[in-house]
Amino acid sequence: MSARRCANPADTVAAGRALAAWLVPGDVVVLTGPLGAGKTVFSTGVAAALGVRERVTSPTFTLVRPHACANDRGIVTLYHADLYRVESLDEAADLALGELVEESAVALIEWGERAEALWGPDHWEVRFTIEDDDVRELALTAPPGRAPVTGWAA
Amino acid sequence: MILGIETATTACAAGLAAGERRVESLLASDRRHVEVLVPGIQSLLAAWPATLGDVTRIVVDHGPGLFTGLRVGIATAVALAEATGAELVGVTSLEVYAAEAAARGVTGSVVAVVDGRRGELFAQSFTLGDAVVARDIPRVVRPRDLAEHWAGAAAPVTFVGDGAVRYASDLGAVPGATCLEVAWPSVETAMAIGAQRDPSPVHPLYLREADAVANFPTRPWP
Ligand SMILES: Nc1ncnc2c1ncn2[C@@H]1O[C@H](COP(=O)(O)OP(=O)(O)OP(=O)(O)O)[C@@H](O)[C@H]1O
Ligand SMILES: [Mg+2]
């Protein structure tokens, strides 16, 4: 695990772009951290790098929103989910995100740690810490067995 | 007449059984459960020929397995049972695989394995002899860990199920292990098990639920 310091929202968007370079179809990314930590801001960076054209906003009320992607990496859909308002595990399980991503998609799941067992051990985690008003620390954990990510903390 | 419904893997299958006669049909193998299940049941009935009114018992595989498949299969089974008054019986994907191995002449230690996705298996151990006897309860396990366990046990074992197809390299490498590649749980076998069982309410067996539910009470609320 390595932490990356983001001094402003633009840095956090850039971190999302950096992570996107490592993603392959089937990947699930759990975004963990307090309200306002920058999980949605980060998601816009991932989406931009995967070629999502539409605006990415918080999917809090819809729980999950699919975005069409345009890239040469076989990632056709980005599922952006937010489990903050999910009332029970059934509701989270009903989204079947782990199965949806399998062949040609990836998922970003804000508050995904609440239903961790649904994703299995093979997922990414980005842990957000609010350092002060504008500074965020983003700690990245890659799925076990994946080639180590280099240059994240730089 | 028994109607069997199978949706625990990417395959969708259905079957009918009455007296000595039984039929089974693979309706699709590529996750099109929603699309093919109900029309498939209708054409099986038409070909028999019979109608839904002739169905007295519905046997449905309630998992563990593919979440998006199971909810189609179970919802359909429950709805049809409600509508027709047929009895509803659940069987597990794992016991069907074990019984399938027994039907193919396998004896001794058998581990039924269903692809759990996300790098995990749903697994249960059985001993096959005069009967199929479960040795533990269904659980979620990593293929490597399961392989290591059986390598340590140093005893012959047969892995059966779609999980043994996907993870044949991990599981087949265990000394003394055989992989019996069965791509989906047989509806005929499920109906044979279900014919002997008392009806009861059927719920999907997700297995991951028990672990995950623990995280919910701690969530902050605005
Ligand atoms: N370094 C930074 N990185 C990201 N956001 C920052 C940073 N500094 C300040 N902010 C502000 O913090 C807020 C982050 O909001 P965002 O919606 O991304 O949080 P979130 O983690 O998704 O919260 P929630 O849990 O409510 O979904 C934004 O208003 C953003 O402008
Ligand atoms: Mg958010």
PDB file of all heavy atoms in Angstrom, chain B residues 32-59:
ATOM      1  N   ARG B  32     -28.512 -15.775 -20.238  1.00  0.00           N
ATOM      2  CA  ARG B  32     -29.737 -15.142 -20.726  1.00  0.00           C
ATOM      3  C   ARG B  32     -30.954 -15.690 -19.984  1.00  0.00           C
ATOM      4  O   ARG B  32     -32.007 -15.920 -20.558  1.00  0.00           O
ATOM      5  CB  ARG B  32     -29.855 -15.342 -22.240  1.00  0.00           C
ATOM      6  CG  ARG B  32     -28.819 -14.500 -22.987  1.00  0.00           C
ATOM      7  CD  ARG B  32     -28.982 -14.560 -24.481  1.00  0.00           C
ATOM      8  NE  ARG B  32     -28.714 -15.888 -24.996  1.00  0.00           N
ATOM      9  CZ  ARG B  32     -29.584 -16.607 -25.724  1.00  0.00           C
ATOM     10  NH1 ARG B  32     -30.765 -16.125 -26.017  1.00  0.00           N
ATOM     11  NH2 ARG B  32     -29.246 -17.801 -26.146  1.00  0.00           N
ATOM     12  N   HIS B  33     -30.798 -15.896 -18.659  1.00  0.00           N
ATOM     13  CA  HIS B  33     -31.864 -16.527 -17.866  1.00  0.00           C
ATOM     14  C   HIS B  33     -33.209 -15.832 -18.020  1.00  0.00           C
ATOM     15  O   HIS B  33     -34.230 -16.476 -18.203  1.00  0.00           O
ATOM     16  CB  HIS B  33     -31.479 -16.562 -16.383  1.00  0.00           C
ATOM     17  CG  HIS B  33     -30.122 -17.153 -16.139  1.00  0.00           C
ATOM     18  ND1 HIS B  33     -28.970 -16.405 -16.144  1.00  0.00           N
ATOM     19  CD2 HIS B  33     -29.740 -18.415 -15.896  1.00  0.00           C
ATOM     20  CE1 HIS B  33     -27.930 -17.184 -15.912  1.00  0.00           C
ATOM     21  NE2 HIS B  33     -28.362 -18.408 -15.756  1.00  0.00           N
ATOM     22  N   VAL B  34     -33.188 -14.506 -17.930  1.00  0.00           N
ATOM     23  CA  VAL B  34     -34.441 -13.731 -17.978  1.00  0.00           C
ATOM     24  C   VAL B  34     -35.181 -14.009 -19.287  1.00  0.00           C
ATOM     25  O   VAL B  34     -36.389 -14.210 -19.317  1.00  0.00           O
ATOM     26  CB  VAL B  34     -34.161 -12.212 -17.907  1.00  0.00           C
ATOM     27  CG1 VAL B  34     -35.456 -11.416 -18.016  1.00  0.00           C
ATOM     28  CG2 VAL B  34     -33.445 -11.863 -16.619  1.00  0.00           C
ATOM     29  N   GLU B  35     -34.396 -14.028 -20.346  1.00  0.00           N
ATOM     30  CA  GLU B  35     -34.942 -14.144 -21.687  1.00  0.00           C
ATOM     31  C   GLU B  35     -35.489 -15.542 -21.973  1.00  0.00           C
ATOM     32  O   GLU B  35     -36.539 -15.688 -22.603  1.00  0.00           O
ATOM     33  CB  GLU B  35     -33.756 -13.865 -22.607  1.00  0.00           C
ATOM     34  CG  GLU B  35     -34.008 -13.377 -23.973  1.00  0.00           C
ATOM     35  CD  GLU B  35     -32.646 -13.210 -24.652  1.00  0.00           C
ATOM     36  OE1 GLU B  35     -31.743 -12.564 -24.057  1.00  0.00           O
ATOM     37  OE2 GLU B  35     -32.479 -13.763 -25.731  1.00  0.00           O
ATOM     38  N   VAL B  36     -34.769 -16.581 -21.544  1.00  0.00           N
ATOM     39  CA  VAL B  36     -35.084 -17.927 -22.046  1.00  0.00           C
ATOM     40  C   VAL B  36     -35.878 -18.820 -21.090  1.00  0.00           C
ATOM     41  O   VAL B  36     -36.468 -19.810 -21.533  1.00  0.00           O
ATOM     42  CB  VAL B  36     -33.793 -18.680 -22.460  1.00  0.00           C
ATOM     43  CG1 VAL B  36     -33.057 -17.914 -23.546  1.00  0.00           C
ATOM     44  CG2 VAL B  36     -32.893 -18.946 -21.273  1.00  0.00           C
ATOM     45  N   LEU B  37     -35.909 -18.497 -19.793  1.00  0.00           N
ATOM     46  CA  LEU B  37     -36.475 -19.474 -18.855  1.00  0.00           C
ATOM     47  C   LEU B  37     -37.964 -19.747 -19.077  1.00  0.00           C
ATOM     48  O   LEU B  37     -38.365 -20.903 -19.271  1.00  0.00           O
ATOM     49  CB  LEU B  37     -36.213 -19.049 -17.399  1.00  0.00           C
ATOM     50  CG  LEU B  37     -36.754 -20.028 -16.348  1.00  0.00           C
ATOM     51  CD1 LEU B  37     -36.172 -21.431 -16.535  1.00  0.00           C
ATOM     52  CD2 LEU B  37     -36.484 -19.532 -14.938  1.00  0.00           C
ATOM     53  N   VAL B  38     -38.778 -18.705 -19.045  1.00  0.00           N
ATOM     54  CA  VAL B  38     -40.225 -18.927 -19.145  1.00  0.00           C
ATOM     55  C   VAL B  38     -40.629 -19.506 -20.517  1.00  0.00           C
ATOM     56  O   VAL B  38     -41.344 -20.511 -20.577  1.00  0.00           O
ATOM     57  CB  VAL B  38     -41.011 -17.646 -18.764  1.00  0.00           C
ATOM     58  CG1 VAL B  38     -42.490 -17.807 -19.084  1.00  0.00           C
ATOM     59  CG2 VAL B  38     -40.806 -17.344 -17.283  1.00  0.00           C
ATOM     60  N   PRO B  39     -40.134 -18.933 -21.626  1.00  0.00           N
ATOM     61  CA  PRO B  39     -40.431 -19.566 -22.925  1.00  0.00           C
ATOM     62  C   PRO B  39     -39.935 -21.013 -23.002  1.00  0.00           C
ATOM     63  O   PRO B  39     -40.589 -21.862 -23.615  1.00  0.00           O
ATOM     64  CB  PRO B  39     -39.674 -18.693 -23.936  1.00  0.00           C
ATOM     65  CG  PRO B  39     -39.432 -17.405 -23.247  1.00  0.00           C
ATOM     66  CD  PRO B  39     -39.352 -17.695 -21.783  1.00  0.00           C
ATOM     67  N   GLY B  40     -38.795 -21.285 -22.379  1.00  0.00           N
ATOM     68  CA  GLY B  40     -38.238 -22.646 -22.387  1.00  0.00           C
ATOM     69  C   GLY B  40     -39.151 -23.621 -21.674  1.00  0.00           C
ATOM     70  O   GLY B  40     -39.353 -24.757 -22.127  1.00  0.00           O
ATOM     71  N   ILE B  41     -39.688 -23.196 -20.531  1.00  0.00           N
ATOM     72  CA  ILE B  41     -40.617 -24.053 -19.785  1.00  0.00           C
ATOM     73  C   ILE B  41     -41.865 -24.301 -20.638  1.00  0.00           C
ATOM     74  O   ILE B  41     -42.363 -25.432 -20.728  1.00  0.00           O
ATOM     75  CB  ILE B  41     -40.993 -23.389 -18.441  1.00  0.00           C
ATOM     76  CG1 ILE B  41     -39.769 -23.366 -17.511  1.00  0.00           C
ATOM     77  CG2 ILE B  41     -42.160 -24.122 -17.781  1.00  0.00           C
ATOM     78  CD1 ILE B  41     -39.951 -22.518 -16.259  1.00  0.00           C
ATOM     79  N   GLN B  42     -42.335 -23.250 -21.301  1.00  0.00           N
ATOM     80  CA  GLN B  42     -43.529 -23.393 -22.151  1.00  0.00           C
ATOM     81  C   GLN B  42     -43.285 -24.389 -23.276  1.00  0.00           C
ATOM     82  O   GLN B  42     -44.146 -25.238 -23.551  1.00  0.00           O
ATOM     83  CB  GLN B  42     -43.938 -22.029 -22.727  1.00  0.00           C
ATOM     84  CG  GLN B  42     -44.666 -21.185 -21.694  1.00  0.00           C
ATOM     85  CD  GLN B  42     -44.837 -19.731 -22.117  1.00  0.00           C
ATOM     86  OE1 GLN B  42     -44.078 -19.229 -22.946  1.00  0.00           O
ATOM     87  NE2 GLN B  42     -45.843 -19.075 -21.547  1.00  0.00           N
ATOM     88  N   SER B  43     -42.114 -24.335 -23.910  1.00  0.00           N
ATOM     89  CA  SER B  43     -41.919 -25.277 -25.018  1.00  0.00           C
ATOM     90  C   SER B  43     -41.697 -26.702 -24.526  1.00  0.00           C
ATOM     91  O   SER B  43     -42.102 -27.650 -25.193  1.00  0.00           O
ATOM     92  CB  SER B  43     -40.837 -24.817 -25.999  1.00  0.00           C
ATOM     93  OG  SER B  43     -39.778 -24.246 -25.331  1.00  0.00           O
ATOM     94  N   LEU B  44     -41.078 -26.858 -23.345  1.00  0.00           N
ATOM     95  CA  LEU B  44     -40.952 -28.206 -22.777  1.00  0.00           C
ATOM     96  C   LEU B  44     -42.335 -28.806 -22.535  1.00  0.00           C
ATOM     97  O   LEU B  44     -42.593 -29.976 -22.849  1.00  0.00           O
ATOM     98  CB  LEU B  44     -40.200 -28.160 -21.436  1.00  0.00           C
ATOM     99  CG  LEU B  44     -38.677 -28.218 -21.456  1.00  0.00           C
ATOM    100  CD1 LEU B  44     -38.152 -28.022 -20.040  1.00  0.00           C
ATOM    101  CD2 LEU B  44     -38.185 -29.549 -22.004  1.00  0.00           C
ATOM    102  N   LEU B  45     -43.217 -27.986 -21.955  1.00  0.00           N
ATOM    103  CA  LEU B  45     -44.585 -28.455 -21.668  1.00  0.00           C
ATOM    104  C   LEU B  45     -45.322 -28.803 -22.960  1.00  0.00           C
ATOM    105  O   LEU B  45     -45.968 -29.850 -23.066  1.00  0.00           O
ATOM    106  CB  LEU B  45     -45.357 -27.384 -20.890  1.00  0.00           C
ATOM    107  CG  LEU B  45     -44.984 -27.212 -19.411  1.00  0.00           C
ATOM    108  CD1 LEU B  45     -45.579 -25.918 -18.851  1.00  0.00           C
ATOM    109  CD2 LEU B  45     -45.440 -28.412 -18.574  1.00  0.00           C
ATOM    110  N   ALA B  46     -45.185 -27.945 -23.966  1.00  0.00           N
ATOM    111  CA  ALA B  46     -45.878 -28.171 -25.239  1.00  0.00           C
ATOM    112  C   ALA B  46     -45.390 -29.457 -25.897  1.00  0.00           C
ATOM    113  O   ALA B  46     -46.174 -30.217 -26.470  1.00  0.00           O
ATOM    114  CB  ALA B  46     -45.655 -26.978 -26.171  1.00  0.00           C
ATOM    115  N   ALA B  47     -44.081 -29.724 -25.779  1.00  0.00           N
ATOM    116  CA  ALA B  47     -43.509 -30.905 -26.423  1.00  0.00           C
ATOM    117  C   ALA B  47     -43.896 -32.200 -25.707  1.00  0.00           C
ATOM    118  O   ALA B  47     -43.919 -33.267 -26.308  1.00  0.00           O
ATOM    119  CB  ALA B  47     -41.993 -30.775 -26.484  1.00  0.00           C
ATOM    120  N   TRP B  48     -44.203 -32.099 -24.408  1.00  0.00           N
ATOM    121  CA  TRP B  48     -44.469 -33.328 -23.601  1.00  0.00           C
ATOM    122  C   TRP B  48     -45.616 -34.156 -24.143  1.00  0.00           C
ATOM    123  O   TRP B  48     -45.381 -35.366 -24.340  1.00  0.00           O
ATOM    124  CB  TRP B  48     -44.649 -32.924 -22.141  1.00  0.00           C
ATOM    125  CG  TRP B  48     -44.808 -34.083 -21.214  1.00  0.00           C
ATOM    126  CD1 TRP B  48     -45.940 -34.786 -20.961  1.00  0.00           C
ATOM    127  CD2 TRP B  48     -43.765 -34.698 -20.409  1.00  0.00           C
ATOM    128  NE1 TRP B  48     -45.701 -35.776 -20.056  1.00  0.00           N
ATOM    129  CE2 TRP B  48     -44.373 -35.758 -19.698  1.00  0.00           C
ATOM    130  CE3 TRP B  48     -42.394 -34.466 -20.229  1.00  0.00           C
ATOM    131  CZ2 TRP B  48     -43.661 -36.587 -18.810  1.00  0.00           C
ATOM    132  CZ3 TRP B  48     -41.701 -35.280 -19.344  1.00  0.00           C
ATOM    133  CH2 TRP B  48     -42.320 -36.331 -18.647  1.00  0.00           C
ATOM    134  N   PRO B  49     -46.853 -33.743 -24.391  1.00  0.00           N
ATOM    135  CA  PRO B  49     -47.474 -32.455 -24.134  1.00  0.00           C
ATOM    136  C   PRO B  49     -48.159 -32.433 -22.773  1.00  0.00           C
ATOM    137  O   PRO B  49     -48.716 -33.428 -22.316  1.00  0.00           O
ATOM    138  CB  PRO B  49     -48.503 -32.365 -25.253  1.00  0.00           C
ATOM    139  CG  PRO B  49     -48.904 -33.783 -25.522  1.00  0.00           C
ATOM    140  CD  PRO B  49     -47.770 -34.687 -25.084  1.00  0.00           C
ATOM    141  N   ALA B  50     -48.097 -31.252 -22.156  1.00  0.00           N
ATOM    142  CA  ALA B  50     -48.729 -31.043 -20.850  1.00  0.00           C
ATOM    143  C   ALA B  50     -48.956 -29.551 -20.683  1.00  0.00           C
ATOM    144  O   ALA B  50     -48.535 -28.761 -21.539  1.00  0.00           O
ATOM    145  CB  ALA B  50     -47.823 -31.569 -19.739  1.00  0.00           C
ATOM    146  N   THR B  51     -49.616 -29.174 -19.596  1.00  0.00           N
ATOM    147  CA  THR B  51     -49.796 -27.751 -19.307  1.00  0.00           C
ATOM    148  C   THR B  51     -49.293 -27.487 -17.898  1.00  0.00           C
ATOM    149  O   THR B  51     -49.040 -28.425 -17.126  1.00  0.00           O
ATOM    150  CB  THR B  51     -51.279 -27.325 -19.380  1.00  0.00           C
ATOM    151  OG1 THR B  51     -51.963 -27.973 -18.303  1.00  0.00           O
ATOM    152  CG2 THR B  51     -51.900 -27.706 -20.718  1.00  0.00           C
ATOM    153  N   LEU B  52     -49.168 -26.226 -17.552  1.00  0.00           N
ATOM    154  CA  LEU B  52     -48.725 -25.860 -16.209  1.00  0.00           C
ATOM    155  C   LEU B  52     -49.616 -26.480 -15.146  1.00  0.00           C
ATOM    156  O   LEU B  52     -49.153 -26.801 -14.050  1.00  0.00           O
ATOM    157  CB  LEU B  52     -48.746 -24.331 -16.053  1.00  0.00           C
ATOM    158  CG  LEU B  52     -47.447 -23.583 -16.269  1.00  0.00           C
ATOM    159  CD1 LEU B  52     -47.671 -22.115 -15.935  1.00  0.00           C
ATOM    160  CD2 LEU B  52     -46.326 -24.171 -15.403  1.00  0.00           C
ATOM    161  N   GLY B  53     -50.895 -26.651 -15.478  1.00  0.00           N
ATOM    162  CA  GLY B  53     -51.834 -27.247 -14.536  1.00  0.00           C
ATOM    163  C   GLY B  53     -51.469 -28.679 -14.141  1.00  0.00           C
ATOM    164  O   GLY B  53     -51.897 -29.170 -13.092  1.00  0.00           O
ATOM    165  N   ASP B  54     -50.677 -29.345 -14.972  1.00  0.00           N
ATOM    166  CA  ASP B  54     -50.252 -30.723 -14.662  1.00  0.00           C
ATOM    167  C   ASP B  54     -49.088 -30.772 -13.685  1.00  0.00           C
ATOM    168  O   ASP B  54     -48.755 -31.823 -13.145  1.00  0.00           O
ATOM    169  CB  ASP B  54     -49.842 -31.448 -15.955  1.00  0.00           C
ATOM    170  CG  ASP B  54     -51.001 -31.558 -16.941  1.00  0.00           C
ATOM    171  OD1 ASP B  54     -52.134 -31.803 -16.481  1.00  0.00           O
ATOM    172  OD2 ASP B  54     -50.765 -31.379 -18.154  1.00  0.00           O
ATOM    173  N   VAL B  55     -48.428 -29.609 -13.483  1.00  0.00           N
ATOM    174  CA  VAL B  55     -47.251 -29.581 -12.608  1.00  0.00           C
ATOM    175  C   VAL B  55     -47.702 -29.588 -11.149  1.00  0.00           C
ATOM    176  O   VAL B  55     -48.457 -28.715 -10.720  1.00  0.00           O
ATOM    177  CB  VAL B  55     -46.375 -28.331 -12.883  1.00  0.00           C
ATOM    178  CG1 VAL B  55     -45.241 -28.220 -11.879  1.00  0.00           C
ATOM    179  CG2 VAL B  55     -45.839 -28.377 -14.308  1.00  0.00           C
ATOM    180  N   THR B  56     -47.254 -30.597 -10.391  1.00  0.00           N
ATOM    181  CA  THR B  56     -47.645 -30.712  -8.986  1.00  0.00           C
ATOM    182  C   THR B  56     -46.507 -30.331  -8.049  1.00  0.00           C
ATOM    183  O   THR B  56     -46.703 -30.114  -6.865  1.00  0.00           O
ATOM    184  CB  THR B  56     -48.079 -32.149  -8.664  1.00  0.00           C
ATOM    185  OG1 THR B  56     -47.055 -33.032  -9.145  1.00  0.00           O
ATOM    186  CG2 THR B  56     -49.401 -32.473  -9.349  1.00  0.00           C
ATOM    187  N   ARG B  57     -45.282 -30.288  -8.608  1.00  0.00           N
ATOM    188  CA  ARG B  57     -44.129 -29.976  -7.772  1.00  0.00           C
ATOM    189  C   ARG B  57     -43.085 -29.249  -8.614  1.00  0.00           C
ATOM    190  O   ARG B  57     -42.817 -29.650  -9.743  1.00  0.00           O
ATOM    191  CB  ARG B  57     -43.555 -31.274  -7.197  1.00  0.00           C
ATOM    192  CG  ARG B  57     -42.246 -31.109  -6.471  1.00  0.00           C
ATOM    193  CD  ARG B  57     -41.843 -32.359  -5.734  1.00  0.00           C
ATOM    194  NE  ARG B  57     -42.657 -32.547  -4.536  1.00  0.00           N
ATOM    195  CZ  ARG B  57     -42.179 -32.967  -3.353  1.00  0.00           C
ATOM    196  NH1 ARG B  57     -40.907 -33.268  -3.216  1.00  0.00           N
ATOM    197  NH2 ARG B  57     -42.961 -33.101  -2.323  1.00  0.00           N
ATOM    198  N   ILE B  58     -42.524 -28.190  -8.030  1.00  0.00           N
ATOM    199  CA  ILE B  58     -41.466 -27.442  -8.716  1.00  0.00           C
ATOM    200  C   ILE B  58     -40.186 -27.586  -7.903  1.00  0.00           C
ATOM    201  O   ILE B  58     -40.163 -27.286  -6.709  1.00  0.00           O
ATOM    202  CB  ILE B  58     -41.843 -25.956  -8.877  1.00  0.00           C
ATOM    203  CG1 ILE B  58     -43.119 -25.846  -9.726  1.00  0.00           C
ATOM    204  CG2 ILE B  58     -40.706 -25.164  -9.516  1.00  0.00           C
ATOM    205  CD1 ILE B  58     -43.702 -24.449  -9.813  1.00  0.00           C
ATOM    206  N   VAL B  59     -39.140 -28.083  -8.554  1.00  0.00           N
ATOM    207  CA  VAL B  59     -37.843 -28.239  -7.901  1.00  0.00           C
ATOM    208  C   VAL B  59     -36.911 -27.181  -8.474  1.00  0.00           C
ATOM    209  O   VAL B  59     -36.689 -27.131  -9.687  1.00  0.00           O
ATOM    210  CB  VAL B  59     -37.258 -29.647  -8.149  1.00  0.00           C
ATOM    211  CG1 VAL B  59     -35.867 -29.755  -7.531  1.00  0.00           C
ATOM    212  CG2 VAL B  59     -38.187 -30.713  -7.582  1.00  0.00           C
TER     213      VAL B  59
END
